[in-house]
Amino acid sequence: ARQSAPAAAEPPKADGAPFAAKPKAPEGDAPEAPRKQGAPKFGGKSGGFLPEEIEGVTPEQLNKCKVALFKTFQDEGVKAARAKQAELRKEAEYASDDEKKNLRPQFEEAALDLRKATKEAMLAADDELTADVVDKVLDVVEERMKQRMQQGAQQNGKKK
């Protein structure tokens, strides 16, 4: 149901252009609390796929890797590798156990292709990153993903 309310006064617009005026920050004594370095910006799940520290990777390199990792989502090679994995998952969804065993080499190949494409895209995104640093970061990402998949499988098993 639609409720009618008196129209609020609109904030002034610069030169009549819509969305041109920036809203003012609320005036108050409490400034926004600074976010801890590496803490999730939007609160969400703790930590994402990267920890705050990785052995052998400087904080500066880690931040550059985070930026490069986000850029990989726009890379065509990475998109193609992800699509291949998604296609395999769909194929395996209704497959018998024997068929799933036969798909294992294809899944492993798809995972290697995705890692290779991601590594290439990260290195292309930032010239200062080295293959060694990117490998260390991708190792941690893969390990965390495996842990989360195992946790998800355990939780799904408890629900049944």
Side-chain angles (χ1 to χ4, degrees):
R2 190 173 198 179
Q3 295 179 352
S4 60
E10 289 187 32
K13 295 178 182 171
D15 299 323
F19 308 110
K22 288 188 175 183
K24 290 184 179 179
E27 294 179 24
D29 294 0
E32 185 177 321
R35 186 168 53 94
K36 284 190 267 178
Q37 184 71 19
K41 185 173 185 176
F42 300 108
K45 293 183 178 179
S46 61
F49 287 116
L50 288 175
E52 291 184 33
E53 294 178 354
I54 297 176
E55 190 176 330
V57 179
T58 67
E60 181 183 343
Q61 290 171 323
L62 185 57
N63 284 335
K64 288 181 180 197
C65 283
K66 287 177 184 179
V67 171
L69 198 55
F70 279 107
K71 289 180 181 180
T72 65
F73 286 95
Q74 301 303 317
D75 184 81
E76 292 304 318
V78 175
K79 285 181 182 180
R82 288 186 190 282
K84 182 179 176 184
Q85 269 192 336
E87 193 175 309
L88 276 173
R89 282 191 194 105
K90 282 184 182 179
E91 189 177 326
E93 188 174 356
Y94 299 107
S96 69
D97 288 341
D98 286 339
E99 291 170 330
K100 286 180 184 178
K101 286 179 185 175
N102 293 336
L103 288 174
R104 185 179 181 105
Q106 291 174 304
F107 273 106
E108 289 172 355
E109 181 183 343
L112 287 174
D113 289 347
L114 178 59
R115 183 185 172 111
K116 182 179 175 187
T118 302
K119 181 178 177 178
E120 289 173 1
M122 287 177 72
L123 291 171
D126 192 328
D127 295 337
E128 294 181 21
L129 292 176
T130 63
D132 184 45
V133 168
V134 171
D135 278 332
K136 288 177 184 178
V137 170
L138 290 177
D139 287 344
V140 170
V141 169
E142 288 177 2
E143 186 60 36
R144 284 191 162 206
M145 287 176 67
K146 285 178 187 175
Q147 289 172 354
R148 287 189 178 176
M149 287 176 65
Q150 288 172 352
Q151 288 172 353
Q154 289 172 353
Q155 288 174 354
N156 287 340
K158 290 179 185 177
K159 291 179 183 176
K160 290 182 180 179

